[in-house]
């Protein structure tokens, strides 16, 4: 199987859609020898901010000298972005080579389960297999959809489970109330695992706290156990002070635009500090995470498609917001950064999105709209 054949094989799995559940994934990974069990994880769920937070965690831990796998979905420009190590995407030859092996495991899963694994499940298996082969020190693992029944949740126990802001999205799969959605997201919280959560709406934080109590998991909750104070926010990015249980850090710089990125960056700082604390309990797992290491790592984060300025005259801004909460954040950022300027909105949304809720936040800003 060459690279083009591997991609065509993956595309052939699109017809099976996105089906939540772990049985197919467990069988698939068992047929591959359960390579995911040999890895350490930071597991990230949430509605918005997962990617930015995961990227920040990965960059800081790379700066600390670790080999860091990053698994994200979807990709922006090329498929290989979904699976990377220290910022370098998986190479096409590895995709082809490993997919040949995984195809055999898919056939076993089909016979055992009576149905095929989905495209997302197979790509997740590709990521696990690649990271295990390269023996990375840790994987920053972003949930695809939900958490409890997401394919990534086949892992036994992460070092840290991180939950970014929870809002309304994928309600047909996860539920139509915030507490039901939060319950699905909190499904990544395993027994005894350290949990980091961004500040949440009351319904969501209540569910997360209940799940942590039930599982004996220690929770660090934003605006309760850790916090940040803005120094500045503008077209050059964010500066803020961080306060947390493992020590305060002054004057952190995060290059992504929008005040909401301070929250994502602070959640990432709390996450990597919690990861380092967990590693300190193992003689072979110590992570040297000084304030300067965190500063350097955050300052190097590049995460396209999040309030990304791709042209300056005229200013062209790209953003991947796709739900009502994301639109609210985007609207606030545009007002902060470009208040008083004429805004032309070019937009595309999938039919399963809350189009009315999304547009209600952005249309008041727009002088013209192209849909």
């Amino acid at each position: 199987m060459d690279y083009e054949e591997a991609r065509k094989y993956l595309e052939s799995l699109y017809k099976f859609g996105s089906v939540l559940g772990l049985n197919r994934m467990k069988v698939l990974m068992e047929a591959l020898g359960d390579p995911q069990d040999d890895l350490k994880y930071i597991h990230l769920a949430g509605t918005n901010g997962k990617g930015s937070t995961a990227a920040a965690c990965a960059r800081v831990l790379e700066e600390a000298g670790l080999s860091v796998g990053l698994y994200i979905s979807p990709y922006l420009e090329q498929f290989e972005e979904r699976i990377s190590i220290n910022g370098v995407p998986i190479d096409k030859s590895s995709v082809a080579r490993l997919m040949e092996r995984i195809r055999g495991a898919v056939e076993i899963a089909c016979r055992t389960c009576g149905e095929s694994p989905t495209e997302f499940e197979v790509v997740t298996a590709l990521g696990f297999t690649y990271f295990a082969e390269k023996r990375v020190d840790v994987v920053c693992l972003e949930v695809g959809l939900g958490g409890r029944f997401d394919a990534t949740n086949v892992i036994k126990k992460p070092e840290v489970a991180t939950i970014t802001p929870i809002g309304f999205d994928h309600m047909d799969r996860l539920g139509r109330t915030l507490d039901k959605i939060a319950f699905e997201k909190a499904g990544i919280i395993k027994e005894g695992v350290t949990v980091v959560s961004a500040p949440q709406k009351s319904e969501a934080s209540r569910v997360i706290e209940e799940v942590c109590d039930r599982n004996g998991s220690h929770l660090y909750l934003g605006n309760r156990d850790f916090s940040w104070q803005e120094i500045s926010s503008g077209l050059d990015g964010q500066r803020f002070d961080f306060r947390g249980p493992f020590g305060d850090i002054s004057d952190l710089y995060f290059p992504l635009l929008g005040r909401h990125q301070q929250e994502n960056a602070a959640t990432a700082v709390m996450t990597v500090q919690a990861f380092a604390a967990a590693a300190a309990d193992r003689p072979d797992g110590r992570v040297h995470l000084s304030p300067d290491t965190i500063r350097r790592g955050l300052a190097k984060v590049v995460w396209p498609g999040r309030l990304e300025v791709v042209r300056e005259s005229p200013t062209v801004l790209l953003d991947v917001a796709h739900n009502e909460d994301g639109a609210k954040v985007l609207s606030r950022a545009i007002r902060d950064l470009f208040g008083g300027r004429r805004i032309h909105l070019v937009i595309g949304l999938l039919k399963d999105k809350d189009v009315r809720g999304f547009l209600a936040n952005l249309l008041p800003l727009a002088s013209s709209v192209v849909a």
Side-chain angles (χ1 to χ4, degrees), residues 258-325:
R259 283 190 165 91
H260 61 286
Q261 291 294 356
Q262 296 173 31
E263 178 176 302
N264 293 334
T267 302
V269 172
M270 185 69 251
T271 296
V272 295
Q273 287 185 329
F275 175 80
D281 295 334
R282 297 187 302 271
D284 63 339
R286 295 188 183 278
V287 179
H288 301 289
L289 202 63
S290 69
D292 281 344
T293 299
I294 293 173
R295 281 194 188 92
R296 291 194 303 269
L298 284 186
K300 293 179 180 178
V301 172
V302 176
W303 200 235
R306 281 74 177 176
L307 279 165
E308 180 187 6
V309 177
V310 295
R311 181 173 173 172
E312 293 186 354
S313 183
T315 301
V316 178
L317 188 73
L318 301 182
D319 195 87
V320 296
H322 56 273
N323 52 53
E324 184 175 3
D325 284 342

Side-chain angles (χ1 to χ4, degrees), residues 324 327-328 330-332 334-335 338-345 347 355-369:
E324 184 175 3
K328 287 178 181 177
L330 178 58
S331 175
R332 284 196 297 268
I334 291 173
R335 291 178 192 275
F338 305 101
R341 296 176 64 175
R342 295 183 67 205
I343 304 295
H344 303 279
L345 177 64
I347 184 171
V355 177
R356 289 183 180 274
F358 187 91
L359 291 179
N361 291 279
L362 290 175
L363 289 185
L365 303 179
S367 300
S368 67
V369 180

Side-chain angles (χ1 to χ4, degrees), residues 206-224:
R206 183 172 60 250
V207 170
I208 293 169
E209 290 179 76
E210 288 172 354
V211 173
C212 286
D213 287 343
R214 224 171 21 246
N215 288 343
S217 299
H218 185 81
L219 171 63
Y220 296 105
L221 179 61
N223 284 342
R224 186 191 74 180

Side-chain angles (χ1 to χ4, degrees), residues 3 16 18 24 71 98 141 157 163 189 203 231 293 329 334 343 352 359:
Y3 175 76
F16 299 111
S18 175
R24 293 178 307 274
Y71 180 75
L98 293 175
L141 183 67
K157 188 175 181 179
I163 302 179
I189 299 172
E203 305 98 309
I231 298 173
T293 299
V329 166
I334 291 173
I343 304 295
D352 65 335
L359 291 179

Side-chain angles (χ1 to χ4, degrees), residues 35-43 61 66-69 128 131-132 135-141 155 157-160 275 278-279 282 284-287:
Q36 77 281 3
D37 291 347
D38 297 329
L39 300 164
K40 295 182 178 66
Y41 299 94
I42 292 172
H43 202 185
L61 293 175
L66 300 186
S67 172
V68 185
F128 285 141
F131 294 141
R135 298 185 179 182
V136 299
D137 297 312
V138 59
V139 177
C140 295
L141 183 67
I155 65 173
K157 188 175 181 179
E159 303 296 300
V160 182
F275 175 80
R282 297 187 302 271
D284 63 339
R286 295 188 183 278
V287 179

Side-chain angles (χ1 to χ4, degrees), residues 145-193:
L145 196 159
R148 188 162 62 112
F149 293 121
D150 184 75
T152 62
N153 209 28
V154 73
I155 65 173
K156 288 181 178 178
K157 188 175 181 179
E159 303 296 300
V160 182
T162 296
I163 302 179
T164 63
I166 294 172
F168 291 98
D169 200 7
H170 303 294
M171 284 97 79
D172 57 327
R173 314 279 190 89
L174 304 180
R176 298 199 171 272
T177 62
L178 205 59
D179 56 343
K180 288 182 179 179
I181 295 172
F183 179 74
E184 295 299 327
K185 307 285 187 184
I188 68 169
I189 299 172
K190 308 292 201 304
E191 185 175 348
V193 165

Side-chain angles (χ1 to χ4, degrees), residues 218-237:
H218 185 81
L219 171 63
Y220 296 105
L221 179 61
N223 284 342
R224 186 191 74 180
D225 304 304
F226 68 94
S227 62
W228 64 96
Q229 181 66 47
E230 178 182 303
I231 298 173
S232 65
S233 177
L235 285 170
D236 59 343

